Amino acid sequence: MQEPQIQTNYNYHDAFAPFFYTKNGNEYRSAGGQPGPKYWQNRADYQLSVSLIDQTNEITGTEILTYTNNSPDKLGFLWMQLDQNLFRQDSRGSAIVPIIGSRNGGHGQVFDAGYKIKSVKVVSGGKGKASETAVKFIINDTRMQVFLPGNLNAGGGQVKLKIEYSFIEPNYGSDRTGYLDTKNGKIYTIAQWYPRMYVYDDVMGWNALPYTGPGEFYLEYGDFDINITAPANHIVVSSGELQNPQEVYTAEQLKRWAAAAKSDQTVMIRTADEVTSKASRPAGRSTLTWHFKLKNARDASWASSAAFMVDAAKMNLPSGRKAMSISAYPVESAGNDAWGRSTEYTKKSIEFNSAKWYEFTYPNATTVAGIVGGMEYPGIVFCGYTAKGRSLWGVNDHEFGHNWFPMIVGSNERLYGWMDEGFNTFINTLSTANFNNGEYKPANPPNMHLIGARFTDPALEPILSPVDGIKERNNGTLLYSKPSAGLVLLREQILGPERFDRAFQTYINRWAFKHPTPDDFFRTMENVSGESLNWFWRSWFQNNWRLDQGVREVKYVDNDPAKGALITIDNLEKMPMPVILEIKTESGKTSRVKLPVEIWMRNNTWTFRYPSTEKIESVTSDPDHVLPDYNEENNVWKK
């Protein structure tokens, strides 16, 4: 029988073409999506000692970096990130901010911005015999190239650098760092506050891209030993675990911390009334040094303020280990409908994701109210101080969801922002549905027809575009919403929750504290689920293809409805997808038919036999609007 001719943009040779993966597996990354037998990554351990001078908003510090070269290559130089240089008036990032402004720029602040690098030295020898040798370095915009006195050996060679530096903190730094004026003092939310190592990997070598704001970060893992000296009336919170609580909290506050560590309900550590009381801070000192340690992390951040209220509660993790949910915020943010619930939100979010995906690895989860709208770091996040209710749940849940992507699964945010923002947005859909039996769950499920029309607009770039090459107005769609919707499609309509969850958990476990690429994710999902998904990756991620499934006609076998119906459907755009049909007969009986995506492997149109015994009243494609079909005009056939 000759296939009927229809007008269609669909080409099954494109959609189901072989060789989606351009590279075979190798000894570093297997064809099955796992780290290979010779997978390696380098390591960066930091000792950081800084002082906050609040009169001038200046941070001065000394960094001792121990860098381990586990690669098979000798390295004659290192690349480091100097992110604060973004806020210089002559930076590349400032040059590309459009006239209408940008979340990612310095917002036209004119101040003495950027790092002042006093010295870079190589430290050699052990205790008592250590020597320091100044080395040449070149600063180019947000990057510093450090030239080593000799090659750093492959396979475990180490070098120790000592860097003395300072910078002035911007008021608003690319929505990632800055300070907020409150009636009881400034709240400093401090990030990108030390020269950080770029990643050297088996994919690109040095990933030393200039930091221009839109893309985020790609970092090595290591241990952190942090000393922060701040005015004595400040409270400091940081990534990691506080090592000297007796020196920086009062005896009463220590009792409250002990109570919070045993409580599922929020316990106040410093109340609103105590914020302005000298008795709430240790007496007799002008400054205090706070000492924190953090293991196996890619970054660290901190916050400091005299204005902080602080509360906390314990978090119960699947292994039986306990951690702490902590919130620090000003009196302006207090209230049971606002930041008074922050610790509860963070606790419930982390407990859910720990049980569902991978256990939270840090001792504390601290949420800080400040000028930053929402930004994530290991064990600490910054959220807008005016957020409340559903909005505060959403930002807490999202920013701490980042502790899975990219804090645990360390993907390259500079190139593949969707692998952290999109994956995180996806897990947020499940944690939100779970929170307090759906307190903030949307009342109605999303209409994927409307979403599909928006997400597959021809004006959009594909998801698999470099982050810095995406128009800023499209970031929300291409980094967050569309990748998340794609994972929902994959979970709910293509693989089913059980197969999807097993594959997704496997991906997280395989790549925890490592550096996956998109191929590693795609290959893992296919190998663990047992499904070839090349057509889906091509449609939703690699290209910006549209879906348009239409119901063309209904005929009857031998023109007799009692002998069954022949229903013809068409695929009219470039994306294939499984088919869901609702069929209603003349008597009012309704049934569903699901057809696999394979019907489109060698066909533009498909006719199948439906075992009717009477005339069909209507056939509706995707009646529940769960597929991203952008054109509803041809979705219903009626008698």
Side-chain angles (χ1 to χ4, degrees):
M1 186 174 93
Q2 186 175 4
E3 188 173 275
Q5 297 299 307
I6 59 168
Q7 288 293 110
T8 177
N9 291 321
Y10 180 62
N11 185 325
Y12 48 83
H13 295 297
D14 291 342
F16 288 93
F19 312 122
F20 172 76
Y21 300 107
T22 56
K23 292 183 179 179
N24 296 323
N26 57 42
E27 59 189 359
Y28 303 132
R29 296 168 191 269
S30 81
Q34 304 183 58
K38 292 187 178 180
Y39 174 82
W40 57 267
Q41 65 190 49
N42 292 347
R43 180 180 176 90
D45 297 293
Y46 298 92
Q47 292 174 264
L48 302 166
S49 297
V50 295
S51 295
L52 168 63
I53 305 168
D54 60 344
Q55 297 92 335
T56 58
N57 305 320
E58 185 177 15
I59 291 168
T60 64
T62 299
E63 168 184 332
I64 297 179
L65 161 71
T66 302
Y67 184 69
T68 305
N69 176 26
N70 294 316
S71 83
D73 306 322
K74 292 182 178 180
L75 300 177
F77 56 84
L78 308 179
W79 280 102
M80 303 190 74
Q81 305 180 48
L82 302 183
D83 309 287
Q84 291 291 330
N85 289 0
L86 172 70
F87 309 118
R88 292 172 54 96
Q89 292 296 297
D90 60 354
S91 74
R92 295 189 193 189
S94 294
I96 66 172
V97 173
I99 294 173
I100 58 174
S102 167
R103 172 195 179 200
N104 299 303
H107 283 253
Q109 300 166 89
V110 179
F111 68 109
D112 187 17
Y115 277 109
K116 308 294 186 297
I117 303 296
K118 182 179 177 182
S119 64
V120 180
K121 299 174 182 177
V122 169
V123 180
S124 56
K127 287 185 178 180
K129 297 181 180 179
S131 62
E132 300 177 1
T133 304
V135 293
K136 179 179 175 60
F137 62 92
I138 295 176
I139 296 174
N140 180 279
D141 200 58
T142 57
R143 302 171 296 173
M144 177 168 69
Q145 189 175 22
V146 178
F147 297 91
L148 302 177
N151 283 330
L152 182 58
N153 287 334
Q158 281 192 341
V159 65
K160 184 175 287 189
L161 296 183
K162 180 179 179 180
I163 303 171
E164 295 180 288
Y165 67 95
S166 66
F167 66 91
I168 304 295
E169 175 72 1
N171 166 237
Y172 181 81
S174 195
D175 204 25
R176 297 190 171 108
T177 186
Y179 60 87
L180 173 73
D181 287 302
T182 77
K183 67 180 181 181
N184 292 317
K186 295 175 183 174
I187 294 177
Y188 291 90
T189 42
I190 307 298
Q192 289 80 65
W193 54 285
Y194 60 96
R196 305 185 296 175
M197 282 301 306
Y198 277 106
V199 171
Y200 186 83
D201 64 20
D202 64 289
V203 180
M204 290 183 62
W206 284 112
N207 286 258
L209 297 170
Y211 175 41
T212 56
E216 291 187 320
F217 313 106
Y218 184 33
L219 302 163
E220 298 287 17
Y221 289 94
D223 296 339
F224 289 78
D225 191 324
I226 302 167
N227 285 282
I228 301 164
T229 300
N233 66 335
H234 280 218
I235 285 180
V236 175
V237 290
S238 173
S239 299
E241 186 168 23
L242 182 63
Q243 303 296 298
N244 59 338
Q246 293 82 3
E247 297 176 24
V248 294
Y249 283 112
T250 66
E252 178 59 31
Q253 288 165 350
L254 291 173
K255 291 179 184 177
R256 295 173 185 176
W257 277 114
K262 299 177 182 178
S263 175
D264 285 311
Q265 305 303 314
T266 300
V267 174
M268 293 303 305
I269 309 298
R270 192 193 198 200
T271 68
D273 292 339
E274 292 169 332
V275 167
T276 54
S277 169
K278 291 183 178 180
S280 72
R281 302 301 304 119
R285 299 281 298 276
S286 60
T287 64
L288 289 171
T289 297
W290 301 66
H291 184 197
F292 298 88
K293 286 188 175 181
L294 180 65
K295 296 285 188 181
N296 200 22
R298 66 198 285 280
D299 198 6
S301 291
W302 52 279
S304 180
S305 182
F308 277 151
M309 298 171 59
V310 180
D311 64 42
K314 73 170 178 175
M315 296 190 295
N316 305 295
L317 302 176
S319 68
R321 184 171 64 89
K322 308 300 180 186
M324 293 282 281
S325 173
I326 302 166
S327 296
Y329 49 95
V331 294
E332 290 92 331
S333 302
N336 288 332
D337 64 336
W339 278 78
R341 294 190 71 185
S342 171
T343 289
E344 172 201 359
Y345 292 156
T346 298
K347 168 184 165 67
K348 295 290 180 63
S349 174
I350 288 177
E351 288 176 345
F352 174 82
N353 286 321
S354 292
K356 182 70 176 172
W357 305 118
Y358 191 100
E359 185 165 307
F360 182 75
T361 57
Y362 305 112
N364 299 320
T366 302
T367 313
V368 183
I371 197 169
V372 176
M375 190 60 200
E376 69 280 358
Y377 302 95
I380 190 169
V381 303
F382 306 151
C383 302
Y385 77 104
T386 59
K388 59 178 60 178
R390 182 187 295 270
S391 172
L392 185 58
W393 158 260
V395 70
N396 280 24
D397 182 44
H398 181 79
E399 302 311 333
F400 266 113
H402 276 302
N403 270 266
W404 283 263
F405 309 101
M407 306 309 166
I408 292 174
V409 182
S411 56
N412 186 344
E413 297 177 272
R414 290 304 311 272
L415 296 180
Y416 319 119
W418 59 272
M419 291 183 72
D420 71 289
E421 296 294 359
F423 290 8
N424 183 25
T425 303
F426 163 70
I427 67 173
N428 295 157
T429 65
L430 301 178
S431 53
T432 297
N434 174 265
F435 176 68
N436 278 2
N437 296 315
E439 179 178 349
Y440 295 133
K441 183 180 179 180
N444 299 306
N447 183 336
M448 282 297 291
H449 289 188
L450 299 178
I451 291 172
R454 189 169 78 249
F455 286 176
T456 59
D457 187 318
L460 283 176
E461 305 93 338
I463 292 173
L464 280 174
S465 301
V467 176
D468 291 351
I470 294 173
K471 289 186 181 298
E472 190 169 340
R473 65 173 178 265
N474 296 336
N475 282 352
T477 297
L478 296 176
L479 301 184
Y480 297 73
S481 306
K482 185 173 179 179
S484 171
L487 295 190
V488 171
L489 267 175
L490 196 57
R491 184 177 193 264
E492 303 299 332
Q493 307 305 326
I494 299 170
L495 295 179
E498 183 177 2
R499 281 202 296 162
F500 176 94
D501 290 357
R502 183 181 296 109
F504 201 58
Q505 288 163 353
T506 301
Y507 167 71
I508 295 170
N509 278 274
R510 284 178 173 179
W511 292 97
F513 307 103
K514 296 181 177 69
H515 297 315
T517 66
D519 271 9
D520 299 317
F521 170 68
F522 295 148
R523 290 176 185 268
T524 294
M525 295 302 291
E526 290 192 356
N527 276 261
V528 179
S529 70
E531 199 78 37
S532 176
L533 297 166
N534 291 190
W535 60 271
F536 182 68
W537 310 135
R538 280 197 184 92
S539 299
W540 199 257
F541 290 89
Q542 188 178 65
N543 298 288
N544 193 34
W545 290 349
R546 312 201 85 167
L547 175 68
D548 182 13
Q549 296 177 343
V551 184
R552 178 139 52 96
E553 65 180 10
V554 175
K555 294 182 178 180
Y556 300 103
V557 177
D558 297 333
N559 291 320
D560 183 355
K563 293 183 178 181
L566 300 174
I567 300 174
T568 300
I569 53 178
D570 299 320
N571 206 53
L572 301 168
E573 281 291 348
K574 295 183 74 66
M575 182 191 298
M577 195 62 67
V579 175
I580 305 169
L581 298 174
E582 183 175 87
I583 301 169
K584 183 181 292 186
T585 61
E586 201 170 43
S587 66
K589 178 184 175 183
T590 300
S591 62
R592 293 284 178 96
V593 172
K594 294 186 177 182
L595 300 173
V597 72
E598 284 81 6
I599 65 173
W600 306 122
M601 284 187 72
R602 50 184 177 269
N603 305 289
N604 299 329
T605 186
W606 183 252
T607 299
F608 68 99
R609 181 170 179 164
Y610 176 74
S612 65
T613 56
E614 58 179 322
K615 287 184 178 181
I616 291 176
E617 187 74 25
S618 65
V619 179
T620 302
S621 175
D622 190 22
D624 300 323
H625 294 183
V626 295
L627 301 176
D629 190 330
Y630 86 103
N631 177 25
E632 292 188 336
E633 292 183 3
N634 55 17
N635 282 22
V636 180
W637 175 92
K638 289 189 176 181
K639 184 178 67 174

